[in-house]
């Protein structure tokens, strides 16, 4: 049996299949039902459809070189530049005055960048980066909230062939330092601060703290976001963004020709060990896959206004706010604020005002909208919407139907898209112009994505049975390696089901899933030491190691518990050293230590003290049992426990918290 990681939702029977409306199908980018078969027959040449969405400095002759699997090389003899593909070619095509980015600020302000304006900003900052000494292949770390300088900087890096490493602005100083150290990054772009719930929040002091602990010298660029609201001082080797770019006003920088497999960026995410993993994405494979899935799944047209409400600090924002939409030359909306400020209709007001065509968000958000009620979307005209998307967690049938009816007016297909930082782009979902939707199931794998649900031995399980989600053929968007090292890459993703080099290489996602008789996949949750909290991927081991740093803590086990409303929270089970009084003070220290080590997103919802953690006879902490307790589920088999008497105590402590 697959041992799920507290993320397991009740698998409600999928809702009744729903066909996409013909009004949608008539205009969809992909409508050919035969596409699944074609891709299978023509593999890997089928991926020319993705490659040909881009413009290449040197056309590729080879689609895939798999001689060094699992290090697959896509379009290996092709050369291109990502910034050129997202900017210059649209100017050349006469679309310079078309809006590229529609930015909506936290305080109701908005800004539009046409493709021409974005081109200018990117060139100026690229010139500034060069002046600072950034060379091809130098990693530039970007630690910014959702302000236009963030995508500008990403494209500037891409222009000069410097991989970016964007670190989510909400992560702590320690988390930033770990990532910069691991990537040996000598350049940092941050800002003075940003508004959080109306107050000025200091980002630069976090960045400065991170810099203090680094062994390398770092040049820092600071965006002045808050002006008078939060005055700041520049230290040694720190530069003002506006001053730097003003010095390069009107300059252009020739896009650097990159090999298709050269690194476009790295993105740190939680893996199965405590350390964050630096997932490496290529220029040609990644960009073509982001563009292809934006075209085929999100149905993006150049004249659309596309809004993905994720944060660019995570992969969803990289692929579907920045690279996919801009590669296709569309208008992408970027929103800095939260859905409930100044009121709970904020998102719908933005959809209405900008006539958004495609809206892509997360189940946590959809569940919040549902709780707030229909009066908020009802205040606005949402008829511009053509397609809705969901990503990050399972979307259950009830919120699916609410989203379909109250946001989509019953007329927009919904794509429930499964993918990961490592897949680079969407891998499992319906093609909205082709397939029936089944609420509750993500859908069939995309054409040529050979996703299979398997048992411990790697054999496919039958319909409706739990198993591990694997992908058995390579695809262009896949991570090329881990920055931490090639061996780590193989260990983390490829060893579970391919033990020897002679085996076929099988990619293991870390998720449990089921597949139904029509091949639709329902995701059950993580099976490894990773938990998914409100769409944030967290390593339980990373949180545990932060807690173990607290004075008085003897042992800690962190699990994800689903409390009532299908929401996963962080539960920390802690035992203290002899003579150490557990209590509120210690609990507060534990919470603040986790916030300092990782960030508020990893904050334990509950800290539960227990005299001992439940352990197997071989001394392993039985996390599965703790997950069941945290979620209030029936307890599974406890016969392997060495200390079964502890279970009652832990249950009682969890309930009274
Ligand atoms: C994990 C990846 C790139 C997506 C955003 C998060 C979970 C993702 C779904 C979905 C159920 C989903 C999986 C996956 N997940 N999409 N449609 N249904 N679960 O990227 O941070 O790399 O997290 O998110 O557990 O492994 P990520």
């Amino acid at each position: 049996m697959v041992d799920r990681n507290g993320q397991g939702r009740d698998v409600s029977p999928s809702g009744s299949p729903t066909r996409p409306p013909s009004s949608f199908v008539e205009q969809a980018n992909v409508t050919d039902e035969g596409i699944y078969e074609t891709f299978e027959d023509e593999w890997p040449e089928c991926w020319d459809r993705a490659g040909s969405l881009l413009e290449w400095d040197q056309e590729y002759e080879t689609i895939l070189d798999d001689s060094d699997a699992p290090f697959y090389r896509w379009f290996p003899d092709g050369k291109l530049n990502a910034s050129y593909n997202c900017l210059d070619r649209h100017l050349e095509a006469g679309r310079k005055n078309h809006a590229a980015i529609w930015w909506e600020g936290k305080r109701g302000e908005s800004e539009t960048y046409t493709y021409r304006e974005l081109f200018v900003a990117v060139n100026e900052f690229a010139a500034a980066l060069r002046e600072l000494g950034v060379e091809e292949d130098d990693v530039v770390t970007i630690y910014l909230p959702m302000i236009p300088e963030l995508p500008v900087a990403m494209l500037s890096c891409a222009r000069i062939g410097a991989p970016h490493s964007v670190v989510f602005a909400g992560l702590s100083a320690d988390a930033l330092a770990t990532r910069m150290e691991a990537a040996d990054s000598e350049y940092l772009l941050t800002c003075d601060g940003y508004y959080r719930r109306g107050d000025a929040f200091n980002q630069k002091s976090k960045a400065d703290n991170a810099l203090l602990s680094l062994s390398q010298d770092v040049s820092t660029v600071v965006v002045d976001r808050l002006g008078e609201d939060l005055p700041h001082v520049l230290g040694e080797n720190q530069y003002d963004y506006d001053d730097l770019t003003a010095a390069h006003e009107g300059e252009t920088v020739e896009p650097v020709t990159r090999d298709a497999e050269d690194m476009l960026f790295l993105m740190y995410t939680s893996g199965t060990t405590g350390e964050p993993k630096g997932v490496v994405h290529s220029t040609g494979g990644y960009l073509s896959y982001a563009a292809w899935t934006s075209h085929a799944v999100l149905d993006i047209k150049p004249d659309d206004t596309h809004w993905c409400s994720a944060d660019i600090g995570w992969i969803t924002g990289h692929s579907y706010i920045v690279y996919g939409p801009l590669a296709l030359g569309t208008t992408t909306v970027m929103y800095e604020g939260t859905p409930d400020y100044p009121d709970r209709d904020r998102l719908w007001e933005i959809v209405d005002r900008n006539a958004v065509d495609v809206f892509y968000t997360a189940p946590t958000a959809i569940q919040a909208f549902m709780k707030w009620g229909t009066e908020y979307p009802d205040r606005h005209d949402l008829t511009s919407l053509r397609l809705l998307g969901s990503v990050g967690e399972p979307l259950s049938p009830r919120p699916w139907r609410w989203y379909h009816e109250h946001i989509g007016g019953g007329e927009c297909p919904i794509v429930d898209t499964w993918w990961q930082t490592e897949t680079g782009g969407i891998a499992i979902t319906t093609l909205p112009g082709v397939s029936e939707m089944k609420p509750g199931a993500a859908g069939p794998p995309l054409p040529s994505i050979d996703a299979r649900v398997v048992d411990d031995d790697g054999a496919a399980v039958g319909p409706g049975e739990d198993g591990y989600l694997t992908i058995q053929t390579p695809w262009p968007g896949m991570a090329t390696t881990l920055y931490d090292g090639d061996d780590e890459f193989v260990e983390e993703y490829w060893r579970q089901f391919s033990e020897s080099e002679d085996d076929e290489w099988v990619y293991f996602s870390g998720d449990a899933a089921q597949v139904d008789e029509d091949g639709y996949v329902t995701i059950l949750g993580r099976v490894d030491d990773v938990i998914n909290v409100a769409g944030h991927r967290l390593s339980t081991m990373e949180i545990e190691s932060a807690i173990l740093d607290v004075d008085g803590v003897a042992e800690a086990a962190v699990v994800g518990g689903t409390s009532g409303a299908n929401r996963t929270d962080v539960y920390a089970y802690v035992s203290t050293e002899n003579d150490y009084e557990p209590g509120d003070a210690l609990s507060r220290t534990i919470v603040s230590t986790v916030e300092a080590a990782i960030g508020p997103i990893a904050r334990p919802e509950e800290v539960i003290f227990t005299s001992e953690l439940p352990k197997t006879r071989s001394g392993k902490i039985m996390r599965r049992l703790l997950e069941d307790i945290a979620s209030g589920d029936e307890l599974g088999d406890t016969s392997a426990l060495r200390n079964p008497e502890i279970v009652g105590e832990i249950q009682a402590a969890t309930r009274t918290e």
Side-chain angles (χ1 to χ4, degrees):
M1 238 285 293
V2 173
D3 186 5
R4 271 184 265 134
N5 193 350
Q7 311 270 293
R9 329 249 150 179
D10 290 333
V11 188
S12 349
S14 303
S16 40
T18 310
R19 284 221 69 82
S22 53
S23 55
F24 181 90
V25 175
E26 277 157 21
Q27 60 77 61
N29 286 341
V30 175
T31 52
D32 171 17
E33 287 180 35
I35 187 169
Y36 292 94
E37 227 178 284
T38 314
F39 265 56
E40 208 170 297
D41 294 347
E42 295 173 9
W43 194 88
E45 279 71 34
C46 56
W47 285 117
D48 182 46
R49 296 219 199 175
S52 65
L53 291 172
L54 304 181
E55 219 170 288
W56 298 76
D57 298 347
Q58 180 184 303
E59 280 292 335
Y60 50 86
E61 310 241 310
T62 309
I63 300 274
L64 171 65
D65 171 1
D66 60 2
S67 57
D68 194 23
F71 302 94
Y72 296 96
R73 301 167 67 222
W74 287 94
F75 314 112
D77 46 4
K79 293 182 194 296
L80 77 167
N81 179 281
S83 167
Y84 175 86
N85 270 281
C86 292
L87 298 169
D88 310 44
R89 65 166 172 154
H90 305 314
L91 305 193
E92 288 159 17
R95 294 174 61 79
K96 64 176 190 223
N97 293 326
H98 192 73
I101 297 179
W102 230 318
W103 178 75
E104 297 280 350
K106 248 179 202 176
R107 304 200 136 182
E109 66 274 55
S110 57
E111 257 176 53
T112 308
Y113 284 69
T114 62
Y115 272 94
R116 169 79 200 159
E117 288 162 339
L118 187 59
F119 172 84
V120 169
V122 165
N123 275 275
E124 289 175 353
F125 190 59
L129 286 173
R130 282 246 173 98
E131 180 197 321
L132 286 179
V134 180
E135 291 179 6
E136 205 174 338
D137 294 322
D138 286 346
V139 175
V140 177
T141 303
I142 308 177
Y143 188 47
L144 285 178
M146 289 284 283
I147 57 177
E149 286 81 358
L150 170 51
V152 167
M154 291 162 71
L155 294 172
S156 305
C157 289
R159 198 162 189 88
I160 59 173
H164 52 75
S165 166
V166 179
V167 175
F168 177 58
L171 291 186
S172 67
D174 282 0
L176 172 64
T178 316
R179 287 157 178 75
M180 287 189 73
E181 186 86 50
D184 205 10
S185 174
E186 295 177 350
Y187 302 93
L188 172 66
L189 172 63
T190 186
C191 63
D192 51 349
Y194 55 95
Y195 297 108
R196 206 164 71 173
R197 308 237 162 258
D199 297 328
F201 174 80
N202 197 327
Q203 182 79 348
K204 183 167 180 290
S205 68
K206 282 201 292 178
D208 285 338
N209 279 334
L211 293 174
L212 284 177
S213 65
L214 290 180
S215 48
Q216 68 265 39
D217 286 334
V218 175
S219 304
T220 305
V221 181
V222 182
V223 177
D224 187 356
R225 166 81 178 103
L226 297 180
E228 292 300 298
D229 283 356
L230 188 80
H232 67 278
V233 182
L234 294 175
E236 202 188 322
N237 217 355
Q238 298 194 327
Y239 307 87
D240 179 71
Y241 183 94
D242 288 334
D243 289 349
L244 275 184
T245 48
H248 295 279
E249 199 183 327
E251 267 176 44
T252 52
V253 172
E254 201 48 35
V256 169
T257 294
R258 300 280 280 168
D259 286 347
E261 65 202 275
D262 280 344
M263 176 169 25
L264 178 59
F265 65 86
L266 73 160
M267 162 114 261
Y268 281 91
T269 188
S270 299
T272 54
T273 65
E275 294 292 304
K277 302 248 165 287
V279 173
V280 175
H281 279 293
S282 67
T283 307
Y286 168 83
L287 190 64
S288 62
Y289 197 70
W292 162 251
T293 46
S294 295
H295 169 84
V297 177
L298 299 176
D299 198 50
I300 292 179
K301 320 262 194 299
D303 287 333
D304 276 352
T305 300
H306 172 72
W307 184 11
C308 163
S309 76
D311 194 293
I312 295 177
W314 306 113
I315 191 73
T316 310
H318 277 52
S319 300
Y320 300 114
I321 298 177
V322 182
Y323 285 113
L326 294 180
L328 297 180
T330 192
T331 304
T332 183
V333 177
M334 185 178 165
Y335 176 48
E336 188 195 21
T338 48
D340 57 352
Y341 186 83
D343 202 353
R344 291 172 166 177
D345 67 340
R346 177 71 169 136
L347 302 190
W348 318 127
E349 184 263 321
I350 295 175
V351 168
D352 190 354
R353 184 157 39 85
N354 297 315
V356 170
D357 297 274
V358 179
F359 180 65
Y360 189 27
T361 195
T364 349
I366 299 168
Q367 271 156 21
F369 307 150
M370 191 165 90
K371 206 169 84 200
W372 296 340
T374 54
E375 64 168 290
Y376 300 101
D378 285 352
R379 285 183 198 166
H380 299 279
D381 178 1
L382 304 181
T383 52
S384 61
L385 291 170
R386 182 175 83 238
L387 174 72
L388 299 174
S390 170
V391 59
E393 293 170 279
L395 179 63
S396 310
R398 217 162 67 85
W400 192 102
R401 279 191 289 270
W402 191 92
Y403 194 35
H404 189 247
E405 185 175 337
H406 298 289
I407 306 302
E411 297 198 359
C412 302
I414 295 178
V415 283
D416 174 354
T417 63
W418 177 90
W419 57 295
Q420 312 179 290
T421 305
E422 294 83 352
T423 67
I426 300 166
I428 301 179
T429 191
T430 48
L431 282 171
V434 173
S435 350
E436 260 182 2
M437 300 163 279
K438 295 193 192 184
L446 286 178
S448 143
I449 300 290
D450 187 8
R452 293 188 212 172
V453 179
V454 303
D455 64 17
D456 290 290
D457 301 323
V461 301
E465 280 175 43
D466 290 7
Y468 304 102
L469 181 61
T470 63
I471 306 181
Q472 314 226 351
T473 43
W475 65 101
M478 67 199 306
T480 53
T481 189
L482 286 176
Y483 201 76
D484 322 61
D486 290 348
D487 293 347
E488 282 77 0
F489 180 65
V490 174
E491 283 311 310
E492 182 79 16
Y493 307 108
W494 303 93
R495 272 284 167 240
Q496 294 81 353
F497 297 103
S498 11
E499 274 158 26
S500 78
E501 315 287 307
D502 306 331
D503 287 351
E504 293 285 315
W505 288 99
V506 171
Y507 171 82
F508 178 44
S509 67
D511 280 347
Q514 282 181 0
V515 58
D516 73 8
E517 55 290 341
D518 299 322
Y520 279 55
V521 177
T522 296
I523 308 296
L524 303 173
R526 303 285 306 190
V527 288
D528 51 16
D529 294 326
V530 172
I531 54 177
N532 191 336
V533 177
H536 293 296
R537 183 165 148 185
L538 304 170
S539 151
T540 56
M541 283 173 68
E542 197 181 357
I543 305 175
E544 282 167 14
S545 84
I547 297 177
L548 289 169
D549 269 348
V550 175
D551 262 357
V553 170
E555 286 192 298
V558 165
V559 298
T562 43
S563 48
N566 243 357
R567 195 184 78 202
T568 302
D569 287 314
V570 175
Y571 283 70
Y573 288 88
V574 174
S575 70
T576 53
E577 284 166 6
N578 287 344
D579 311 329
Y580 210 100
E581 258 323 291
D584 285 353
L586 184 59
S587 178
R588 277 195 300 273
T589 311
I590 289 174
V591 168
S592 61
T593 305
V594 171
E595 289 191 346
I598 303 162
I601 51 169
R603 185 178 207 282
E605 184 67 21
E606 306 279 358
V607 177
I608 298 127
F609 293 108
T610 166
S611 57
E612 267 178 61
L613 293 172
K615 295 209 176 135
T616 62
R617 271 178 258 278
S618 59
K620 279 181 75 175
I621 298 173
M622 223 166 137
R623 288 191 174 68
R624 181 175 53 76
L625 180 70
L626 293 172
E627 283 152 23
D628 289 342
I629 294 175
S631 307
D633 289 346
E634 210 170 293
L635 305 188
D637 184 9
T638 57
S639 59
L641 273 187
R642 187 181 62 195
N643 52 351
E645 68 285 353
I646 203 71
V647 174
E649 179 191 320
I650 299 177
Q651 273 181 312
T654 304
R655 269 198 297 274
T656 55
E657 289 296 319

